[in-house]
Structure formats: structure tokens, C-alpha cells
Amino acid sequence: MSSSEVGELEAQEARLTLPRFTYEDAWTLGTLLVSLARERQAPVAIDVRRGAQQLFHCALPGSSADNDAWIDRKRRVVERYGESSFLVGARFRAKGTTFEASSRLDPDRYAAHGGSFPIGVEGVGVIGSVTVSGLPQAEDHALVVEALERLLSSYGSDAG
């Protein structure tokens, strides 16, 4: 992965900062991901958290407990770095190494593979994460990004 790809991922995170994130927003985001995954018959598990609290979880047909373990490992990367698991992995690859070889973190507990994205709130910072597991890492990441883009655009439509 090149430094320009890292820059694109950084810009994506900046663009997907939310104006707020409530329990209702967590439900909306989770159910949006379920709808998108069902449309594509994607065998994924989905997790939405604010801090340590799990606000939404769903496992779709074809997913397994292994996907829940991947969710935990990718989410820990977001919690530690405050950036998407895909971006963290991309930074290591851009330096010519891997997360597993150079992070000094236990790969049984941390995975810098695409699919976990920070939930950032304007003026506050990262307050949680949204994670998908079950597809190739770039597709997990893209599914989360698509759902966040739709959630962000819905905020404009509910302004009073």
C-alpha cells in the first residue's frame, strides 16, 4: 500500500466524522449494515460500540464465532490507535513491514485487518467503533464506509 492510499484512508476518516452518536444512531447504523449485507448475501457479523458498551450486534447466515473473534481483534486496534484497522495495517505496509511483525502487539488480541472503523464525533473525538467481519478485509472496510456515509447523509435530512 502506498502513502497516497494511506492519505486516502486518512481523508476518508476525517470526512466520516459524525455530528452526534446516540443509541438511536447506533441502531440505525447497525440495521443499515444488516440491510446492506443481506442485499449482498454477505456472511458477516456486525458490531457497534460506544466505549466499552456494545450497542448493536448481529450475526448473519454464514458467519461464525470466528467472526466475533475477528471483530474483537480488529476493534482493539481501533481502540488503541483511534484509527480504522485498515488504515493502521496500511501504514505498516507502506513502511515495508506488517502490523504483526512490527507492532509488538499480540496477534491473538490485535488484528490490523480492514473492517473496524472509529466512530468519531465532531468536537469530541473517537467515542466508539463499528466493525464488520466475514468478507475479505477491503470489502469489510468498504461495507462499513458505505453505511457510515449513508448515516452521515441522513443527519442532513433530519435537521429541523
Side-chain angles (χ1 to χ4, degrees):
M1 189 154 276
S2 69
S3 59
S4 68
E5 290 167 313
V6 168
E8 289 172 24
L9 292 171
E10 290 171 339
Q12 188 177 68
E13 286 189 23
R15 186 180 82 249
L16 294 173
T17 300
L18 305 174
R20 65 169 195 263
F21 194 72
T22 65
Y23 286 93
E24 186 65 30
D25 295 325
W27 175 259
T28 300
L29 179 58
T31 56
L32 184 54
L33 278 162
V34 170
S35 294
L36 291 170
R38 282 183 173 155
E39 284 171 14
R40 296 158 196 186
Q41 297 180 329
V44 298
I46 299 159
D47 183 78
V48 179
R49 290 180 184 252
R50 188 176 68 195
Q53 185 180 20
Q54 183 178 56
L55 302 181
F56 185 96
H57 185 86
C58 181
L60 295 176
S63 66
S64 71
D66 194 47
N67 296 115
D68 292 328
W70 274 97
I71 282 172
D72 288 343
R73 292 169 60 219
K74 293 190 281 189
R75 176 183 42 80
R76 285 186 192 107
V77 169
V78 171
E79 290 169 352
R80 185 169 185 111
Y81 290 84
E83 298 176 319
S84 77
S85 53
F86 200 41
L87 173 57
V88 172
R91 285 188 199 283
F92 281 92
R93 289 188 297 279
K95 293 176 186 171
T97 186
T98 64
F99 177 82
E100 295 78 11
S102 298
S103 71
R104 300 178 57 139
L105 295 171
D106 181 353
D108 288 337
R109 293 192 44 80
Y110 295 88
H113 292 256
S116 191
F117 203 94
I119 295 172
V121 174
E122 293 169 9
V124 178
V126 175
I127 57 102
S129 63
V130 53
T131 310
V132 168
S133 174
L135 302 170
Q137 66 170 329
E139 293 176 41
D140 278 346
H141 179 82
L143 187 62
V144 169
V145 166
E146 182 178 348
L148 283 168
E149 286 171 340
R150 290 188 186 194
L151 179 64
L152 188 58
S153 69
S154 77
Y155 288 134
S157 65
D158 69 10

